[in-house]
Amino acid sequence: MTTTDKAAQPGQQQALMERLVAFTRDHRAANWSGSLSQFLETVLPADPKAVARTSHQYMWDMIRWTRGEDANGNFTRQLFAEDLFGVDESIERVVDYFKAAAAGSEVGRRLLLLLGPPSGGKSSLVILLKRGLEEYSHTDAGALYGIQGCPVHESPLHLVPHSLRASVRETYGVDISGEVCPHCRARLEDDYKGDFLRMPVERIFISEAGRLGIGTYAPHDPTTADLADLVGSVDLSKVAEFGDEGDPRAWSWSGAVYAASRGMLEMIEILKVKREFLYLLLTLTQEKNVKVSRFPLIYLDETILAHTNLAEFRKFLQESENEALLDRMVIIQVPYTLNYKDEARIYKKLISSAAPAFREVHLDPHVLHAAAVFAIMTRLHEGEEKEQELSKRVRLQAEEEVEGVNRAEAERERQKLPDEGLGGVSPRFVINALSNAIIQSDKRSLTTMDVLLALKDAIDSDARIDPKKKRKWVDYLVLARKYFYNRWVKEDVHKALFVSFEQEAQDLLDKYLDEVEATLDNRHVKDPITNEERKPDERFLRSVEEKIHISDSGKQSFRQEVVRKAMGAFKRGEKFTLDSHAQLHDGVQQYLFEQRREVLRLVSSSSRPDEEVRQKISVVEKRLVDEYGYDAHSAREALNYVTTLLAQE
């Protein structure tokens, strides 16, 4: 991966301008203001259901608005696609919550709690929902209207008297729920003498910075935390103006629950707040109102989305008096991803948003994936399995084909271990180690081995990790190198060395199939060069099979399976290629690698190469740079590393 900044090309500049223009076109908002009478005459008839939407329905419509369609016709959640990786199951559960709540089910009367380890994506998910709301409110589909000057930006439909709401339902097919807030009720009487049709209405736009439709509360010292942070308090500067502390216009409507009205309230680390805060929030969720001194119940329609970490949740569970609170929450776990490919995408995203000095450092193509494999190993359930079994589990989590393992059975086994992904290394830990490696590097280029060593230093120097876990995690680094990086770098070097690698490998695969079919049919093979009949080449077959640990007793069933897959491909009109059988792919590749071992040693290990060897080295390095994502430094290191591996075999 290269991260060097380059000047924008004219084509890129034009593409960027087109995207900016398209964005402004799609998000161009039409301002609107007028009296309630004008609103009921012009805005409501155009789309009554949109005007009368609840906060949950608005959230659900926003999510549907953001979704796209992939090549297979399946809907994708574009709102989350570019920022959250490997937590699709959690995202779908969140989406299902809003779908059910929008339909009017009981889950809409529950507080939504995201639960997971630090740096697992909880906050990012909430931020994306907030940004989605802001964008959606600037579109025609997301048009939102409120009483002008209302501190809770409430729906204008609240002004319709209860005795007339049935008529609205009969005329437009929508129900009106909710009461006018104390502030607007006072204005209606004082400024408009009760003539609700004259009350001003305007289109409103959700804005977290503007405290409109999005509220956020972060806990602080419980001893000084005040409920006023949520529900406000008397504004002494206005008491003199209005003459009464009980006048709603003398109340400070700065609480987070008021800011979130019509949209979403984010509660950060919710289980750290006082219990009275929780009861207020749960009552608001269930009854859609809050009670503060001097005022009747204040109706508020908002989605409350909270998040917390596992440590706080476990403490909360231990207190029996919290059982009633738990019963009124919908809890969705957001674990770490267990797919190393998605984990690597997280690292890439974090690096791309880092300082330019970090982005300018070149990373070899396997740095992020190798670090991710290590991270996944720390998150999997610790069993008694052998090294190879653990590496298989990592590959299965990445949805790679692993011969001898049934995918359905692997999924059933995974379901038995629900705690996987709730512990282990966080993405932040890996990025910190990567940052340290970048700072210490004087070459502006990092190899996978550099980063694995940096991770080892990070483990050794972290006082929070107990010695037993340190030893286990260092072992995982060794396994990540042994079973993943070694295979990847060998393949790169081998492909770079032999231009005709793919065709050579396919020819070997075809030869293997011919020999296997002849063996199973108990017939001879015609030599393509001499045209002479000969027995199948059992030595060749076993040479390939032994590379992937197929025993002599198991060769027959393996060969039958290969032929079945080849026949299946033939019936479908497809060519049986290296990608058709993952295990055989490895066997053929390793066999070919073995055949070229001496040439590779010659190219990569000559201490004083002659001109011919030097030219070969130059060609290999150039191919690694041009086609496989290396730079000059990491390409040389890869060649030297593979030479060392060959010497050890």
Side-chain angles (χ1 to χ4, degrees):
M1 178 183 117
T2 180
T3 52
T4 304
D5 291 336
K6 295 180 180 178
Q9 300 300 312
Q12 292 176 307
Q13 295 173 355
Q14 181 62 29
L16 175 60
M17 285 304 302
E18 289 174 358
R19 291 185 66 183
L20 292 172
V21 170
F23 184 91
T24 56
R25 182 180 62 247
D26 295 340
H27 297 75
R28 187 178 294 124
N31 290 303
W32 187 94
S33 63
S35 66
L36 178 65
S37 176
Q38 294 170 314
F39 175 80
L40 295 175
E41 288 175 356
T42 59
V43 177
L44 178 63
D47 195 347
K49 289 186 178 179
V51 170
R53 283 179 289 190
T54 65
S55 63
H56 283 102
Q57 289 169 338
Y58 193 80
M59 292 283 293
W60 172 236
D61 286 347
M62 178 273 292
I63 291 171
R64 289 193 297 168
W65 169 74
T66 66
R67 73 185 181 179
E69 195 170 345
D70 63 20
N72 299 318
N74 300 316
F75 286 114
T76 57
R77 305 298 176 190
Q78 292 298 324
L79 179 64
F80 312 103
E82 296 180 5
D83 291 276
L84 290 175
F85 312 111
V87 289
D88 292 349
E89 189 174 329
S90 299
I91 290 172
E92 285 306 312
R93 290 189 63 195
V94 170
V95 170
D96 288 344
Y97 165 85
F98 285 112
K99 182 179 181 180
S105 76
E106 274 295 301
V107 299
R109 298 163 65 87
R110 303 286 181 268
L111 184 149
L112 179 59
L113 175 65
L114 302 181
L115 173 67
S119 192
K122 304 184 299 296
S123 298
S124 297
L125 196 156
V126 177
I127 289 169
L128 290 170
L129 287 171
K130 292 192 290 188
R131 298 297 166 263
L133 283 174
E134 290 179 328
E135 267 194 50
Y136 184 55
S137 72
H138 283 77
T139 66
D140 291 338
L144 202 60
Y145 299 88
I147 299 174
Q148 192 175 77
C150 176
V152 297
H153 12 277
E154 66 184 310
S155 169
L157 296 179
H158 289 178
L159 292 165
V160 177
H162 282 272
S163 60
L164 298 176
R165 291 184 179 185
S167 298
V168 174
R169 182 173 61 250
E170 291 171 5
T171 305
Y172 296 113
V174 295
D175 289 306
I176 300 174
S177 58
E179 305 292 333
V180 179
C181 76
H183 186 277
C184 289
R185 189 178 293 112
R187 283 179 61 209
L188 179 61
E189 295 300 325
D190 294 347
D191 299 344
Y192 300 97
K193 308 305 178 186
D195 186 355
F196 61 90
L197 289 176
R198 292 170 53 207
M199 281 286 278
V201 176
E202 64 180 351
R203 180 171 178 181
I204 59 178
F205 301 97
I206 292 178
S207 168
E208 183 175 19
R211 292 177 58 79
L212 198 160
I214 296 176
T216 304
Y217 179 83
H220 43 86
D221 185 357
T223 59
T224 60
D226 191 342
L227 206 58
D229 293 339
L230 287 178
V231 298
S233 60
V234 173
D235 186 344
L236 296 177
S237 66
K238 293 182 179 180
V239 171
E241 179 183 349
F242 296 105
D244 181 9
E245 288 188 4
D247 191 307
R249 290 166 296 181
W251 187 262
S252 173
W253 297 83
S254 58
V257 296
Y258 306 133
S261 177
R262 309 293 301 283
M264 185 180 81
L265 173 64
E266 176 190 11
M267 293 294 296
I268 300 170
E269 295 295 346
I270 187 173
L271 300 184
K272 291 181 178 178
V273 303
K274 292 179 179 179
R275 188 170 281 106
E276 61 181 303
F277 282 45
L278 284 176
Y279 279 115
L280 180 144
L281 292 170
L282 292 171
T283 301
L284 173 58
T285 304
Q286 191 155 350
E287 309 298 337
K288 291 189 180 296
N289 56 56
V290 295
K291 179 70 176 74
V292 296
S293 61
R294 303 179 182 86
F295 301 137
L297 292 173
I298 301 172
Y299 179 88
L300 295 172
D301 176 26
E302 58 196 59
T303 296
I304 301 180
L305 204 163
H307 46 97
T308 192
N309 60 47
L310 287 165
E312 292 295 332
F313 184 72
R314 285 166 182 156
K315 284 194 291 185
F316 191 76
L317 282 177
Q318 292 171 359
E319 300 174 11
S320 58
E321 60 267 34
N322 292 330
E323 187 174 344
L325 294 171
L326 287 166
D327 193 48
R328 292 153 76 181
M329 298 178 181
V330 172
I331 301 171
I332 296 178
Q333 288 191 348
V334 185
Y336 292 132
T337 179
L338 296 177
N339 183 325
Y340 75 84
K341 296 174 184 176
D342 286 331
E343 180 77 1
R345 292 173 72 191
I346 295 173
Y347 302 158
K348 188 172 183 179
K349 174 196 161 192
L350 292 172
I351 291 170
S352 67
S353 60
F358 286 3
R359 296 200 303 270
E360 290 169 1
V361 174
H362 182 277
L363 307 179
D364 88 31
H366 305 302
V367 162
L368 302 184
H369 283 99
V373 166
F374 156 72
I376 302 309
M377 287 181 175
T378 69
R379 298 170 187 173
L380 294 174
H381 178 74
E382 292 186 15
E384 299 299 324
E385 66 263 54
K386 296 178 181 178
E387 293 180 355
Q388 281 187 319
E389 292 302 313
L390 181 59
S391 69
K392 282 183 181 179
R393 288 180 63 202
V394 173
R395 292 180 62 191
L396 285 170
Q397 291 288 353
E399 299 181 354
E400 293 181 3
E401 289 252 352
V402 177
E403 292 301 320
V405 180
N406 181 282
R407 289 290 306 170
E409 189 169 332
E411 180 60 23
R412 284 195 296 271
E413 287 298 316
R414 189 182 72 81
Q415 296 294 341
K416 294 178 183 177
L417 301 169
D419 290 341
E420 285 193 324
L422 295 178
V425 161
S426 73
R428 202 170 289 144
F429 180 91
V430 174
I431 290 298
N432 288 345
L434 184 61
S435 299
N436 289 334
I438 288 172
I439 291 169
Q440 294 170 13
S441 172
D442 58 356
K443 300 181 181 67
R444 312 308 293 166
S445 172
L446 286 182
T447 67
T448 298
M449 288 304 298
D450 291 333
V451 174
L452 291 178
L453 289 171
L455 283 167
K456 181 180 182 301
D457 289 341
I459 294 169
D460 290 339
S461 60
D462 196 324
R464 299 169 299 173
I465 308 173
D466 67 73
K468 183 178 179 181
K469 185 174 285 187
K470 283 186 178 185
R471 289 193 295 272
K472 176 73 79 174
W473 286 6
V474 170
D475 287 343
Y476 290 154
L477 287 172
V478 174
L479 297 184
R481 176 183 62 82
K482 180 178 179 182
Y483 289 102
F484 290 85
Y485 176 59
N486 286 3
R487 173 163 53 91
W488 295 334
V489 73
K490 276 184 181 180
E491 289 177 3
D492 287 348
V493 171
H494 189 236
K495 289 177 183 178
L497 182 59
F498 305 106
V499 177
S500 60
F501 172 78
E502 295 295 343
Q503 188 56 51
E504 284 187 72
Q506 184 63 44
D507 291 344
L508 275 172
L509 178 65
D510 293 340
K511 173 178 168 59
Y512 179 88
L513 273 177
D514 291 341
E515 302 290 343
V516 162
E517 288 175 354
T519 299
L520 295 177
D521 294 342
N522 197 24
R523 60 177 171 80
H524 284 67
V525 178
K526 180 179 287 188
D527 191 291
I529 298 176
T530 65
N531 280 330
E532 293 180 359
E533 297 277 340
R534 61 168 176 78
K535 290 183 179 181
D537 190 348
E538 181 67 17
R539 177 180 292 183
F540 164 69
L541 293 176
R542 292 304 294 147
S543 294
V544 172
E545 292 160 356
E546 285 171 355
K547 296 287 184 293
I548 47 178
H549 311 291
I550 302 298
S551 65
D552 194 59
S553 60
K555 66 183 181 183
Q556 193 74 0
S557 59
F558 176 76
R559 293 171 183 177
Q560 289 170 348
E561 180 206 351
V562 170
V563 171
R564 279 198 304 272
K565 284 199 173 186
M567 290 300 295
F570 176 76
K571 289 178 180 178
R572 294 191 299 273
E574 301 171 358
K575 182 176 177 59
F576 188 71
T577 66
L578 290 169
D579 294 330
S580 304
H581 197 293
Q583 197 173 10
L584 189 55
H585 177 284
D586 290 344
V588 169
Q589 199 168 68
Q590 291 178 41
Y591 177 86
L592 187 57
F593 195 86
E594 187 73 28
Q595 300 302 304
R596 302 292 185 266
R597 180 187 297 269
E598 293 307 319
V599 180
L600 179 60
R601 281 183 174 142
L602 174 68
V603 170
S604 58
S605 65
S606 297
S607 56
R608 291 187 177 180
D610 57 28
E611 187 57 36
E612 181 182 356
V613 173
R614 189 181 296 111
Q615 187 175 1
K616 285 185 177 181
I617 294 174
S618 176
V619 169
V620 174
E621 289 182 357
K622 188 174 187 306
R623 282 178 62 82
L624 286 172
V625 172
D626 293 345
E627 299 181 30
Y628 298 100
Y630 292 80
D631 66 352
H633 167 71
S634 58
R636 284 191 297 273
E637 290 297 311
L639 282 169
N640 292 334
Y641 182 75
V642 172
T643 302
T644 303
L645 290 178
L646 293 176
Q648 294 171 353
E649 293 177 358

